[in-house]
Amino acid sequence: MTASIKLTARQYRLLDTTSKLVGLVLVAAGLEVGGSTPTGIALAIVGAACATATVFITNE
């Protein structure tokens, strides 16, 4: 059983752009605090997950 979220094209573009910008900011913050520190790695992982979150959303 798979649940999918359906958005209009405008909603999808807004969500996609926002999630990518938030992901970019989180990755940059991870690099700023130190890319090899646990905090930096955690921020980079969360940022990458956020940036790719819209892959699982269907737009109409």
Side-chain angles (χ1 to χ4, degrees):
M1 188 161 152
T2 307
S4 79
I5 300 169
K6 295 195 181 211
L7 301 173
T8 64
R10 182 177 179 190
Q11 290 171 327
Y12 180 81
R13 272 193 319 273
L14 180 62
L15 180 64
D16 187 47
T17 302
T18 303
S19 70
K20 284 182 178 31
L21 288 174
V22 169
L24 178 65
V25 168
L26 288 171
V27 170
L31 291 173
E32 185 66 28
V33 298
S36 61
T37 64
T39 304
I41 293 169
L43 284 170
I45 291 171
V46 171
C50 186
T52 59
T54 55
V55 170
F56 306 104
I57 298 174
T58 305
N59 67 331
E60 279 188 7

